Amino acid sequence: EHRKGLPLLGHCCVHTRVGCSTYTRTSVVSPPGSSSLGCTATFRSSPAMEALRIAACLCSFVSLLLLIIALASDHWITGSDGSYAGLWNACRIICINYGMDAQDYIHATRFFLFIEMFAGAVSFFGLCASFSRTHLGSMSTKGIAVTASLVAGACSLIAMATFTGVYNERNILENSFGWSFGLGWVSFPLFLIAGGLAYMTASTSTS
Protein backbone atom coordinates (compact mmCIF):
# COMPACT_ATOMS: atom_id res chain seq x y z
CA GLU A 1 0.00 0.00 0.00
CA HIS A 2 1.28 3.45 -0.90
CA ARG A 3 0.19 6.77 0.49
CA LYS A 4 1.30 10.12 -0.93
CA GLY A 5 3.97 8.47 -3.04
CA LEU A 6 5.93 7.02 -0.06
CA PRO A 7 6.35 3.28 0.51
CA LEU A 8 4.72 1.88 3.60
CA LEU A 9 7.21 0.98 6.31
CA GLY A 10 7.07 -2.62 7.35
CA HIS A 11 9.02 -5.76 8.01
CA CYS A 12 8.98 -9.42 7.17
CA CYS A 13 10.49 -12.41 8.91
CA VAL A 14 11.80 -15.52 7.20
CA HIS A 15 12.63 -18.63 9.20
CA THR A 16 14.97 -21.22 7.74
CA ARG A 17 16.67 -24.25 9.18
CA VAL A 18 20.23 -25.04 8.08
CA GLY A 19 21.75 -28.23 9.47
CA CYS A 20 21.30 -28.00 13.23
CA SER A 21 20.94 -24.20 13.31
CA THR A 22 17.73 -22.20 13.10
CA TYR A 23 18.06 -18.78 11.46
CA THR A 24 15.62 -15.90 11.75
CA ARG A 25 16.11 -13.12 9.20
CA THR A 26 14.25 -9.84 9.54
CA SER A 27 14.10 -7.49 6.58
CA VAL A 28 13.12 -3.88 7.15
CA VAL A 29 11.83 -1.69 4.33
CA SER A 30 13.02 1.88 4.76
CA PRO A 31 11.87 4.99 2.88
CA PRO A 32 14.19 6.66 0.36
CA GLY A 33 16.80 8.83 2.03
CA SER A 34 16.56 6.94 5.32
CA SER A 35 19.88 6.30 7.08
CA SER A 36 18.68 2.93 8.34
CA LEU A 37 20.21 -0.25 7.00
CA GLY A 38 17.70 -1.98 4.78
CA CYS A 39 18.09 -5.38 6.34
CA THR A 40 19.17 -6.83 9.63
CA ALA A 41 19.72 -10.44 10.51
CA THR A 42 19.81 -12.36 13.72
CA PHE A 43 20.18 -16.08 14.17
CA ARG A 44 20.12 -18.76 16.80
CA SER A 45 22.97 -21.24 16.46
CA SER A 46 23.31 -24.75 17.77
CA PRO A 47 25.17 -25.24 21.08
CA ALA A 48 28.04 -26.98 19.26
CA MET A 49 28.49 -24.03 16.89
CA GLU A 50 28.42 -21.56 19.77
CA ALA A 51 31.01 -23.63 21.63
CA LEU A 52 33.31 -23.53 18.59
CA ARG A 53 32.93 -19.78 18.33
CA ILE A 54 33.65 -19.26 22.03
CA ALA A 55 36.71 -21.52 21.77
CA ALA A 56 37.96 -19.53 18.77
CA CYS A 57 37.56 -16.28 20.73
CA LEU A 58 39.45 -17.69 23.70
CA CYS A 59 42.30 -18.97 21.52
CA SER A 60 42.55 -15.64 19.73
CA PHE A 61 42.51 -13.67 22.99
CA VAL A 62 45.08 -15.89 24.74
CA SER A 63 47.43 -15.87 21.75
CA LEU A 64 47.17 -12.08 21.46
CA LEU A 65 47.84 -11.68 25.19
CA LEU A 66 50.88 -13.99 25.07
CA LEU A 67 52.21 -12.13 22.05
CA ILE A 68 51.96 -8.75 23.78
CA ILE A 69 53.72 -10.11 26.87
CA ALA A 70 56.49 -11.65 24.74
CA LEU A 71 56.93 -8.47 22.72
CA ALA A 72 57.12 -6.23 25.78
CA SER A 73 59.29 -8.42 28.04
CA ASP A 74 63.07 -8.83 28.04
CA HIS A 75 63.59 -12.54 28.74
CA TRP A 76 64.13 -13.80 25.20
CA ILE A 77 67.73 -14.72 26.01
CA THR A 78 69.10 -15.56 29.47
CA GLY A 79 72.73 -15.95 30.51
CA SER A 80 74.32 -18.11 33.18
CA ASP A 81 75.57 -14.93 34.87
CA GLY A 82 72.03 -13.69 35.48
CA SER A 83 71.91 -11.39 32.44
CA TYR A 84 68.94 -11.39 30.09
CA ALA A 85 67.93 -9.64 26.89
CA GLY A 86 64.88 -9.10 24.72
CA LEU A 87 63.86 -7.19 21.63
CA TRP A 88 64.28 -3.82 23.31
CA ASN A 89 66.71 -4.08 26.24
CA ALA A 90 69.77 -5.98 27.42
CA CYS A 91 69.98 -6.24 31.20
CA ARG A 92 72.47 -7.36 33.80
CA ILE A 93 72.76 -4.95 36.69
CA ILE A 94 71.10 -2.19 34.70
CA CYS A 95 69.14 -2.33 31.44
CA ILE A 96 70.44 -0.76 28.24
CA ASN A 97 67.88 0.10 25.58
CA TYR A 98 68.73 -0.77 21.98
CA GLY A 99 66.42 1.79 20.42
CA MET A 100 66.89 1.74 16.67
CA ASP A 101 70.49 0.53 17.00
CA ALA A 102 69.45 -3.12 17.23
CA GLN A 103 70.74 -5.71 14.79
CA ASP A 104 68.85 -6.43 11.58
CA TYR A 105 67.30 -9.69 12.76
CA ILE A 106 65.92 -7.91 15.84
CA HIS A 107 64.29 -5.30 13.58
CA ALA A 108 62.82 -8.06 11.40
CA THR A 109 61.45 -9.89 14.44
CA ARG A 110 59.88 -6.70 15.79
CA PHE A 111 58.32 -5.87 12.42
CA PHE A 112 56.58 -9.21 11.93
CA LEU A 113 55.47 -9.39 15.56
CA PHE A 114 53.81 -5.97 15.24
CA ILE A 115 51.98 -7.14 12.11
CA GLU A 116 50.99 -10.28 14.00
CA MET A 117 49.68 -8.19 16.88
CA PHE A 118 47.56 -6.05 14.54
CA ALA A 119 46.20 -9.08 12.68
CA GLY A 120 45.55 -10.85 15.98
CA ALA A 121 43.53 -7.88 17.25
CA VAL A 122 41.48 -7.87 14.04
CA SER A 123 40.89 -11.60 14.46
CA PHE A 124 39.73 -11.25 18.06
CA PHE A 125 37.37 -8.33 17.45
CA GLY A 126 36.04 -10.01 14.30
CA LEU A 127 35.18 -13.12 16.31
CA CYS A 128 33.54 -11.01 19.02
CA ALA A 129 31.52 -9.14 16.39
CA SER A 130 30.32 -12.44 14.89
CA PHE A 131 28.15 -13.00 17.98
CA SER A 132 25.96 -10.03 17.13
CA ARG A 133 26.23 -9.66 13.34
CA THR A 134 27.15 -11.71 10.30
CA HIS A 135 28.73 -8.92 8.21
CA LEU A 136 30.65 -5.69 8.61
CA GLY A 137 29.71 -3.81 5.49
CA SER A 138 30.16 -6.27 2.65
CA MET A 139 32.62 -8.50 4.53
CA SER A 140 31.74 -11.53 6.63
CA THR A 141 32.85 -11.20 10.26
CA LYS A 142 33.88 -14.85 10.32
CA GLY A 143 35.78 -14.46 7.07
CA ILE A 144 37.64 -11.49 8.54
CA ALA A 145 38.49 -13.52 11.64
CA VAL A 146 39.73 -16.52 9.65
CA THR A 147 41.93 -14.43 7.35
CA ALA A 148 43.35 -12.31 10.18
CA SER A 149 44.12 -15.39 12.30
CA LEU A 150 46.02 -17.06 9.47
CA VAL A 151 47.95 -13.86 8.71
CA ALA A 152 48.84 -13.55 12.41
CA GLY A 153 50.01 -17.17 12.49
CA ALA A 154 52.13 -16.73 9.37
CA CYS A 155 53.76 -13.54 10.72
CA SER A 156 54.43 -15.30 14.02
CA LEU A 157 56.19 -18.15 12.25
CA ILE A 158 58.34 -15.76 10.20
CA ALA A 159 59.28 -13.65 13.23
CA MET A 160 60.11 -16.53 15.54
CA ALA A 161 61.93 -18.55 12.88
CA THR A 162 64.04 -15.49 11.99
CA PHE A 163 65.01 -14.87 15.60
CA THR A 164 65.66 -18.56 16.31
CA GLY A 165 67.70 -19.19 13.18
CA VAL A 166 69.93 -16.15 13.41
CA TYR A 167 70.51 -16.47 17.15
CA ASN A 168 71.40 -20.17 16.86
CA GLU A 169 74.13 -19.25 14.38
CA ARG A 170 75.61 -16.81 16.91
CA ASN A 171 74.78 -18.71 20.07
CA ILE A 172 77.11 -18.48 23.05
CA LEU A 173 77.05 -21.73 25.05
CA GLU A 174 76.37 -19.94 28.32
CA ASN A 175 73.18 -18.42 26.95
CA SER A 176 69.77 -20.02 26.47
CA PHE A 177 66.30 -19.02 25.32
CA GLY A 178 64.04 -17.51 27.98
CA TRP A 179 60.35 -17.58 28.77
CA SER A 180 59.54 -14.55 26.60
CA PHE A 181 60.88 -16.48 23.61
CA GLY A 182 58.68 -19.44 24.57
CA LEU A 183 55.56 -17.25 24.75
CA GLY A 184 56.30 -15.94 21.28
CA TRP A 185 56.35 -19.48 19.88
CA VAL A 186 53.16 -20.50 21.76
CA SER A 187 51.19 -17.68 20.11
CA PHE A 188 51.88 -19.23 16.68
CA PRO A 189 49.84 -22.47 16.98
CA LEU A 190 47.12 -20.74 19.00
CA PHE A 191 46.43 -18.29 16.17
CA LEU A 192 46.24 -21.19 13.72
CA ILE A 193 43.82 -23.02 16.02
CA ALA A 194 41.70 -19.86 16.32
CA GLY A 195 41.63 -19.56 12.53
CA GLY A 196 40.68 -23.22 12.13
CA LEU A 197 37.85 -22.96 14.65
CA ALA A 198 36.58 -19.76 13.04
CA TYR A 199 36.63 -21.50 9.64
CA MET A 200 34.62 -24.40 11.07
CA THR A 201 31.92 -22.04 12.37
CA ALA A 202 31.85 -20.21 9.03
CA SER A 203 31.58 -23.40 6.97
CA THR A 204 28.94 -24.83 9.33
CA SER A 205 26.75 -21.75 9.03
CA THR A 206 26.87 -21.83 5.22
CA SER A 207 26.52 -25.60 4.74
Side-chain angles (χ1 to χ4, degrees):
E1 181 182 356
H2 295 269
R3 295 180 180 177
K4 298 182 181 180
L6 294 177
L8 181 66
L9 299 181
H11 69 277
C12 61
C13 294
V14 179
H15 300 271
T16 59
R17 186 172 182 82
V18 181
C20 297
S21 302
T22 301
Y23 294 81
T24 302
R25 182 175 294 275
T26 303
S27 297
V28 180
V29 180
S30 302
S34 171
S35 60
S36 129
L37 298 175
C39 176
T40 61
T42 59
F43 55 89
R44 298 186 302 275
S45 302
S46 68
M49 185 175 174
E50 287 300 310
L52 285 176
R53 192 180 307 169
I54 292 172
C57 279
L58 288 176
C59 283
S60 182
F61 173 76
V62 171
S63 55
L64 182 60
L65 179 63
L66 294 181
L67 168 63
I68 293 173
I69 294 173
L71 188 58
S73 56
D74 293 322
H75 287 78
W76 284 66
I77 301 297
T78 58
S80 58
D81 58 353
S83 61
Y84 54 93
L87 301 178
W88 310 97
N89 301 297
C91 305
R92 189 173 181 183
I93 299 175
I94 61 173
C95 291
I96 301 174
N97 184 268
Y98 306 141
M100 296 305 295
D101 296 327
Q103 300 182 56
D104 291 342
Y105 79 100
I106 297 290
H107 284 299
T109 303
R110 290 175 181 173
F111 174 76
F112 284 105
L113 288 182
F114 274 117
I115 296 179
E116 178 190 359
M117 184 171 61
F118 175 76
V122 172
S123 168
F124 175 67
F125 288 113
L127 286 167
C128 291
S130 70
F131 283 94
S132 59
R133 57 175 60 194
T134 58
H135 287 74
L136 291 173
S138 61
M139 297 181 295
S140 165
T141 52
K142 293 176 184 177
I144 293 172
V146 171
T147 303
S149 295
L150 296 180
V151 170
C155 289
S156 176
L157 178 60
I158 295 171
M160 298 308 300
T162 298
F163 186 91
T164 306
V166 174
Y167 185 78
N168 278 335
E169 292 180 357
R170 309 175 182 180
N171 187 26
I172 301 174
L173 295 179
E174 291 79 9
N175 292 342
S176 60
F177 293 115
W179 58 265
S180 301
F181 173 83
L183 293 183
W185 267 117
V186 171
S187 69
F188 162 59
L190 285 178
F191 272 126
L192 295 185
I193 293 172
L197 293 174
Y199 178 78
M200 291 173 64
T201 63
S203 60
T204 300
S205 64
T206 56
S207 61

